[in-house]
Amino acid sequence: MYPDHTHGAPAQRAVQLHQSTPLPPAVAMPTPVVPVQPGTIPAVASVVLPDGRVVTGYAVAPAQPAPVTAKPAVSRAAVNVALGGVGFLAVCGGLILLTSFIAALTAFITQLITLAAVIFGGWIAVQVFSASGHHGGTTVNIRKAVFKRNHFHG
């Protein structure tokens, strides 16, 4: 173990035990409350404890809990979700109208192109087919011709 001056014999130590002394329970006594006028210094109050001690200090009014604010009937998150849904529906309705407008415009332009092709094609057809029956230009009359000695006498 621990060597000491006894040359090899184990050391002996004195053990001291400390016991705590219990305190007597405090008796709850009503504390005098001194009314305080606003804007003035409160008066000093003294309280005598059961064991004879005197405690001196300012009387403090008990702390008032903060007033509870009334919660709205509907939460803000629910209102935001509802407004987002209304906005989404408005955008979808606008997109449907825009899509319908684009489809109608495309159909109208297609009809205009078809009408122009029919009119222009008809005009070209009239020009082509009426050229064979047209009698304008140079007219050549062929009659009996006499060829004498490789010369044409008309």
Side-chain angles (χ1 to χ4, degrees):
M1 298 276 217
Y2 296 101
D4 62 356
H5 299 294
T6 56
H7 303 290
Q12 304 220 346
R13 296 186 187 250
V15 177
Q16 295 179 351
L17 292 176
H18 296 283
Q19 293 185 355
S20 60
T21 309
L23 294 175
V27 178
M29 291 181 56
T31 323
V33 178
V34 178
V36 178
Q37 297 297 327
T40 61
I41 298 174
V44 176
S46 297
V47 177
V48 179
L49 297 177
D51 60 356
R53 293 181 294 163
V54 177
V55 177
T56 305
Y58 293 107
V60 179
Q64 297 292 331
V68 178
T69 57
K71 291 185 178 181
V74 180
S75 69
R76 291 185 188 266
V79 171
N80 289 339
V81 168
L83 289 177
V86 169
F88 181 73
L89 288 178
V91 168
C92 287
L95 288 177
I96 289 172
L97 289 176
L98 182 64
T99 306
S100 300
F101 175 74
I102 290 173
L105 186 64
T106 304
F108 178 70
I109 291 173
T110 304
Q111 289 176 355
L112 284 180
I113 291 171
T114 305
L115 181 64
V118 167
I119 292 173
F120 187 67
W123 182 76
I124 290 176
V126 167
Q127 295 300 320
V128 168
F129 291 124
S130 67
S132 63
H134 184 53
H135 296 291
T138 306
T139 302
V140 177
N141 292 323
I142 300 176
R143 56 187 173 166
K144 287 184 180 179
V146 179
F147 289 92
K148 292 182 180 177
R149 296 189 192 132
N150 294 328
H151 290 290
F152 175 75
H153 297 282

